[in-house]
């Protein structure tokens, strides 16, 4: 979390989470049913429920199928309010921001995005995001009185668990200027605005989390996600939790060394996967053979035209990615491997050699080999993942099976 | 857990865990203090405490510094019983079994080992282990009335999360005959004997968990453990939890492909790290140059004598291990990397080139590069890890920072 939370507050949040989880699991409950379901003392429960009602997270529902009766009137029941936003997710990309919100029933209430120029400063990006949230909440009638937290995806290496002081972002790895200052700016602005914890993480990892819960990894134990675009990033969701890593760099499969004598990488090493298989690396390699090539569109056009040398370059890139993912899977043993990003526009030209290399080098797992597959989500994957990160940071949910799907072993 | 546990039982265990955790954290408490600390209803707490007292997990202590007084006698307080074994760990190796127990205060009550022949059948190994437990409990006055679970480390691929039916152990990877049947035998015999859940996992992973909690990884966020001996195994402890993997094979760094055109490995692939850097692989390579070499002792003797070609072989093995660990660290971002096993008898001859290759290929993490280091524990690491696995499977503890040290991000 972005700021220290007193133990008292944490305990209270845990109690709130138990109440919300019970109502999510059972549907509307009377106060005495709820008391039994959550094993909280009556006094504690009374406080928690009163507060949740006041903040709009809960509503009361009339007894099913019964108007007021003379005597023995069934108790009013408590239920989650479907219009109460409980988690807000914001995914800042290079040229657009996507915002999404979920209610306490873990249903997505809205998901919207708006473009900005890649040069837009971070303060302005945050303003644009807040504007979009305001407009969308007004349109959809969403309330944020019971907001539990805000999740934020940012490009590049970030971890809200790592303090900004002393957090040295390597220039090469920071895809946008700002580094720690950027994280702090976003965290503080959103924390001030919503008065909740703000959880910031790399947006590729956020997308991995969403993919694990709602996408290709749903109902599977563990997911390795690789996004091959301008750079190569990734994320691991293992045993029901998104892996951040000790320095906020878990999942950086793009910086596994593939060619020891290769090109220098922006991370400072040589021959990283990214120097050989990212979209710019592929464009560069094809342009070396076909000087008219300027962009990945041109590469895709050559692939469609059946150009043998271009096919060879793209195939080799896929092979490198497949090898690195095979090593990562042999180490971490996820059930599912997802390949996302712009490179997938090359379709089978890249995915077939990738899968072949992967199969050759992964430790075979008794009928459960996790063949690489494409992403199952759209462009709001990062924002959805940011929402999931909020829910999954709740002390009660942490370590338990993910919200929907995602089993722990 | 080895067998399905009814939800009711699970809830009860959670309550028990909360009571024990509160007493562990606060020391002796009166019933009313305890009730406040755990937020359980009086009736529920009364049941739980009564049962824990009856089973010997708790004792009552007289009010501090006060005999019975005429009136206003301070309440009797509840405390953990230091002689009550709460978790039993059993580590079956190729030629010895180690048993250890911890009480509810998470203190190690005993740790003993006894040798057997490598050919000893599994049923007999379990008998030997149970004998050792009986003798040791008698000598130390340990009781098992409040035993929470038994953790078991076995060589080879095992996962108690994966049912034995349909669990096809690849012959090549199974270091001992038996496979699934072996796991079932051990699980059932121990479950029958102790009447608790039995948690079985690979013993290298168990050692990794112990190393993360009590050894080189204590107070660090995440540990990668590699054991280079007869084979090469490993384990990952990430975000406070031991990674099992979707098919019970997490941490198998020995089967990352290093040389695509290399020797066939017992896992069915070619050129795995194990074919190049395990102790037998090193002995074989040195014997190819120095026909008098029969064992790793001979290799170590040649290293001590400064034999250049032997130094070269051992250095190359270290380099391969360093590369694979660098790729694993770039992917999983643990704070600490531990290299254990027989290979470490070669000392700096293997560890220096290993560290050099690691440094060259790991993604650098702003002043926190996890340089490989030796193990900090002795031969009971596996049994201690099995104990930790029992504690860490408790619903309350799961997902929280590990017992002692081990921070989550």
């Amino acid at each position: 979390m972005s700021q220290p939370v007193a133990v008292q507050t944490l305990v209270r949040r845990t109690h709130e989470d138990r109440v919300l989880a019970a109502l999510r699991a059972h549907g509307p409950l009377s106060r005495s049913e709820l008391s039994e379901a959550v094993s909280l003392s009556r006094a504690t429960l009374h406080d928690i429920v009163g507060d949740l009602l006041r903040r709009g997270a809960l509503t009361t529902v009339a007894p099913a199928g019964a108007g007021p009766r003379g005597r023995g009137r069934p108790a009013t029941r408590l239920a989650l309010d479907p219009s109460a936003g409980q988690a807000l997710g914001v995914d800042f990309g290079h040229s657009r921001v996507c915002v999404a919100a979920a209610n306490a029933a873990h249903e997505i209430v809205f998901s919207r995005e708006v473009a900005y120029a890649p040069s837009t400063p971070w303060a302005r990006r945050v303003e644009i995001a807040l504007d979009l949230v305001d407009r969308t909440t007004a349109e959809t009638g969403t309330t944020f009185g019971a907001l539990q937290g805000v999740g934020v995806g940012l490009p590049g290496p970030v971890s809200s668990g790592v303090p900004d002081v002393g957090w040295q972002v390597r220039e090469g790895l920071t895809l946008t200027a700002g580094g720690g200052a950027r994280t702090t700016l976003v965290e503080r602005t959103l924390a001030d605005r919503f008065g909740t914890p703000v959880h910031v993480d790399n947006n590729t990892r956020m997308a991995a989390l969403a993919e694990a819960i709602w996408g290709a990894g749903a109902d599977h134990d563990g997911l390795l996600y690789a996004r091959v675009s301008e750079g190569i990033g990734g994320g691991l969701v293992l045993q029901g939790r998104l892996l951040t890593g000790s320095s906020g760099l878990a999942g950086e499969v793009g910086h596994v060394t593939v060619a020891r004598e290769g090109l220098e990488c922006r991370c400072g090493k040589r021959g990283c996967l990214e120097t050989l298989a990212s979209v710019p690396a592929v464009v560069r390699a094809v342009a070396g053979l076909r000087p008219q090539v300027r962009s990945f569109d041109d590469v895709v056009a050559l692939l469609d035209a059946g150009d043998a040398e271009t096919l060879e370059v793209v195939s080799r890139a896929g092979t490198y990615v497949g090898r690195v993912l095979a090593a990562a899977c042999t180490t971490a043993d996820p059930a599912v491997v997802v390949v996302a990003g712009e490179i997938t526009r090359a379709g089978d030209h890249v995915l077939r050699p990738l899968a072949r290399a992967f199969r050759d080098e992964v430790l075979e797992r008794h009928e459960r080999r996790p063949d690489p597959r494409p992403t199952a989500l759209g462009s709001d994957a990062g924002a959805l993942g940011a929402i999931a990160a909020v829910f999954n940071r709740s002390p009660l949910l942490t370590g338990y099976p993910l919200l929907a799907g995602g089993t722990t072993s």
Side-chain angles (χ1 to χ4, degrees), chain A residues 174-196:
Chain A
T174 315
L175 302 180
T176 49
R182 171 196 68 160
T183 306
T184 308
L185 169 77
V186 172
E187 272 186 354
R188 294 216 179 127
T189 313
L190 292 171
D192 284 354
R193 167 62 192 278
F194 293 102
T196 65

Side-chain angles (χ1 to χ4, degrees), chain A residues 55-308:
Chain A
R55 282 154 53 204
L58 300 185
T59 52
T60 54
V61 287
R69 283 183 293 181
R71 57 193 175 104
R73 191 160 61 96
T76 301
R77 293 185 301 164
L78 298 160
L80 302 176
D81 185 335
S83 67
Q86 215 204 358
L88 179 66
V90 185
D91 175 18
F92 289 101
H94 295 295
S95 55
R96 69 104 180 85
V97 62
C98 178
V99 301
N103 63 23
H106 291 173
E107 296 157 347
I108 302 301
V109 184
F110 64 73
S111 164
R112 296 278 173 89
E113 67 180 71
V114 66
Y116 47 60
S119 61
T120 309
W122 279 95
R124 180 68 195 128
R125 292 186 192 202
V126 177
E127 279 175 23
I128 292 171
L130 288 173
D131 258 16
L132 181 58
V133 170
D134 285 343
R135 275 186 287 130
T136 314
T137 51
E139 280 172 39
T140 56
T142 311
T143 62
F144 282 125
L147 192 71
Q148 192 184 335
V150 180
V152 181
L154 295 179
V158 275
S159 167
S160 66
V162 180
D164 263 30
V165 183
W167 164 247
Q168 300 188 4
V169 178
R170 292 178 60 87
E171 270 314 308
L173 264 178
T174 315
L175 302 180
T176 49
R182 171 196 68 160
T183 306
T184 308
L185 169 77
V186 172
E187 272 186 354
R188 294 216 179 127
T189 313
L190 292 171
D192 284 354
R193 167 62 192 278
F194 293 102
T196 65
V198 175
H199 175 55
V200 183
D201 207 330
N202 170 274
N203 59 1
T204 304
R205 279 205 297 262
M206 291 293 198
L209 181 59
E211 198 73 44
I213 298 173
W214 291 295
D219 300 316
H220 289 87
D221 181 12
L223 172 134
L224 169 63
Y225 179 92
R227 181 187 276 167
V228 184
S229 295
E230 189 69 17
I232 300 184
L236 278 162
V237 181
L238 299 172
Q239 293 182 165
R241 298 171 74 197
L242 177 65
L243 186 64
T244 300
S246 69
S247 47
L249 292 173
E252 292 286 356
V253 289
H255 299 281
V256 169
T257 302
V258 171
R260 262 170 294 282
E261 314 295 321
L263 291 174
E264 198 175 324
C265 180
R266 61 198 173 117
C267 78
K269 298 200 299 155
R270 280 196 172 276
C272 292
L273 177 64
E274 194 171 283
T275 65
L276 291 159
S278 67
V279 166
V282 167
V283 172
R284 205 166 42 233
V286 175
L289 304 163
R290 304 272 177 270
Q292 78 274 24
V293 164
R294 292 273 180 281
S295 69
F296 197 55
D297 284 338
D298 299 339
V299 172
V300 172
L302 282 170
L303 290 172
D304 290 343
D307 182 75

Side-chain angles (χ1 to χ4, degrees), chain A residues 7 57 62 72 175 240 279 282 285 295-296 312 342 354 381 400 403-404 406:
Chain A
V7 171
L175 302 180
V279 166
V282 167
S295 69
F296 197 55
E312 172 60 26
E342 209 186 340
L354 189 159
Y400 279 73
L403 326 174

